[in-house]
Amino acid sequence: MINQYNPDMKRLILVWAITGISFTAFAQEEDEEKRPFKENLFTGGSVSLAFYNNTFLVGASPVFGYSLTNWADAGLVFNYNYTSYRDVEAFDDRLRQTVYGGGAFVRLYPVRFLFAQAQVEHNFIRQKYIPPGGGFIDRANADVGSFLVGGGYTTGRFGRGGQPFFYLAVLFDVAGNAISPYTDAYGRTIPIIRGGIQVPLFRGGGGRERF
């Protein structure tokens, strides 16, 4: 359960700064054909599913982004997740948690079918503790920052403004906050599996681009 929250603002500010620098650096790719702004926009999103140590998580994360180069995407993400824990402090007790929030991400594609991802988030947590056999239900609220890193597989990303594609990612929260929505009831990081789709909002007439 949430007992106390002491936000590590320095770490969160540092993560946001690194993310902003990365956006600027990736956007400055040289020797690349100029494209209309709207042809680099995309949308889509993912669903999340995790099972680990009496933990069940399900959620959705719609995104809105911009293809910085033929090998890099950046964007905004919005989250909604529901998690259920069992046997948190006693046998057959339950902890139910709803999380909503958002953040920003960067994806790098060294090849068309693989990517690495870094994502910074800030989420709001609502918890309800249900003791075994009924009794008093304890409620708690908090907000927390997360920094997700990982990678995944795609069905094929053909540069900016290319075809829609599906992806599957595995991410981990490395911020080290015990009350992260991406930890189990004991504060241990759990893998987050996200499968989703990325769809260009406007297609240009140039067809598929190369890396």
Side-chain angles (χ1 to χ4, degrees):
M1 293 191 309
I2 300 172
N3 294 317
Q4 185 178 7
Y5 174 54
N6 295 312
D8 189 347
M9 293 304 297
K10 290 183 178 180
R11 174 159 44 195
L12 190 57
I13 292 172
L14 177 62
V15 168
W16 275 105
I18 293 173
T19 303
I21 292 172
S22 299
F23 286 2
T24 302
F26 296 144
Q28 293 176 347
E29 184 178 79
E30 296 180 354
D31 300 325
E32 187 169 32
E33 180 185 356
K34 296 289 186 180
R35 296 175 58 88
F37 177 85
K38 69 177 185 178
E39 292 184 11
N40 296 322
L41 298 173
F42 64 85
T43 188
S46 65
V47 293
S48 302
L49 183 66
F51 300 91
Y52 186 81
N53 284 1
N54 297 326
T55 300
F56 168 74
L57 180 148
V58 64
S61 300
V63 304
F64 180 76
Y66 184 86
S67 293
L68 300 169
T69 73
N70 283 335
W71 48 269
D73 291 335
L76 301 176
V77 58
F78 306 93
N79 298 319
Y80 180 86
N81 292 292
Y82 171 80
T83 311
S84 177
Y85 307 101
R86 189 168 182 173
D87 301 336
V88 181
E89 297 182 352
F91 179 73
D92 206 32
D93 65 345
R94 297 173 184 272
L95 181 64
R96 294 176 180 172
Q97 176 174 278
T98 300
V99 177
Y100 58 93
F105 67 88
V106 174
R107 291 192 192 122
L108 307 181
Y109 300 83
V111 293
R112 288 174 177 159
F113 58 89
L114 294 176
F115 65 90
Q117 180 169 333
Q119 181 166 314
V120 60
E121 294 183 355
H122 194 85
N123 292 299
F124 298 89
I125 304 172
R126 303 293 180 262
Q127 286 187 348
K128 180 167 65 174
Y129 175 72
I130 305 172
F136 178 75
I137 296 178
D138 188 18
R139 302 175 188 270
N141 301 324
D143 60 287
V144 60
S146 296
F147 187 38
L148 310 184
V149 296
Y153 171 83
T154 82
T155 56
R157 180 186 183 277
F158 291 89
R160 300 185 298 174
Q163 299 286 343
F165 61 87
F166 294 94
Y167 60 88
L168 181 66
V170 180
L171 305 172
F172 297 87
D173 187 355
V174 298
N177 197 316
I179 66 169
S180 164
Y182 306 112
T183 60
D184 64 14
Y186 304 99
R188 297 174 298 196
T189 299
I190 61 176
I192 304 301
I193 302 173
R194 291 183 172 175
I197 185 172
Q198 183 165 312
V199 181
L201 286 174
F202 303 94
R203 296 281 303 283
R208 292 180 176 178
E209 295 186 45
R210 296 184 177 181
F211 284 99

